[in-house]
Amino acid sequence: MPKINPDKSYAQVPLRLGKLDPAVTIEMPYGWLTELCLLVADKILNLNDHDKQNFIANMERLSGPDATYTLKAQLHESMIVIYANLASTKLSPDQKTALASKLVEGVKNCGPGFHDRINEAVESLSV
């Protein structure tokens, strides 16, 4: 019977696609994670108060200052790409809604699952 190796089952695959163009520089504002949450919850998806609070709480749990996820720095790199694209004018409103929805759906996962979901979203930007 096959056995799952817990040391490899949730190994994070390095992100190969979707990096920001080296010619593009973005100044990340202080509190960018909070701004990302508010951008997604208020401006793009118009979540109700209950869903908004749940989304923000889950984002803080997985990637906030007190998060214990071991690959948090790499997760933040991917989330910065998401934030830069959601804050830009390059994406259409439909693309922003799809990207924000992927973020909201994935935030309910565990840390590695959320990271995988974010990396999928980043990779979709490079297609």
Side-chain angles (χ1 to χ4, degrees), residues 53-99:
Q53 293 305 321
N54 283 340
F55 172 65
I56 292 172
N58 282 325
M59 287 288 282
E60 286 292 325
R61 174 182 61 86
L62 293 171
S63 59
D66 296 331
T68 59
Y69 180 50
T70 56
L71 298 174
K72 188 166 71 168
Q74 292 89 339
L75 174 62
H76 282 185
E77 288 176 12
S78 297
M79 290 175 69
I80 287 170
V81 174
I82 299 278
Y83 175 77
N85 280 280
L86 289 176
S88 79
T89 57
K90 289 184 178 182
L91 294 182
S92 71
D94 289 341
Q95 289 172 313
K96 288 182 180 186
T97 300
L99 191 57

Side-chain angles (χ1 to χ4, degrees), residues 8-36:
K8 294 182 180 180
S9 62
Y10 285 108
Q12 186 65 36
V13 176
L15 186 62
R16 289 174 276 133
L17 303 171
K19 296 284 188 186
L20 286 174
D21 184 355
V24 174
T25 58
I26 182 167
E27 292 284 328
M28 291 310 295
Y30 178 78
W32 67 270
L33 184 60
T34 303
E35 286 191 27
L36 173 63

Side-chain angles (χ1 to χ4, degrees), residues 1-12:
M1 172 171 243
K3 292 184 179 180
I4 295 175
N5 183 343
D7 295 329
K8 294 182 180 180
S9 62
Y10 285 108
Q12 186 65 36

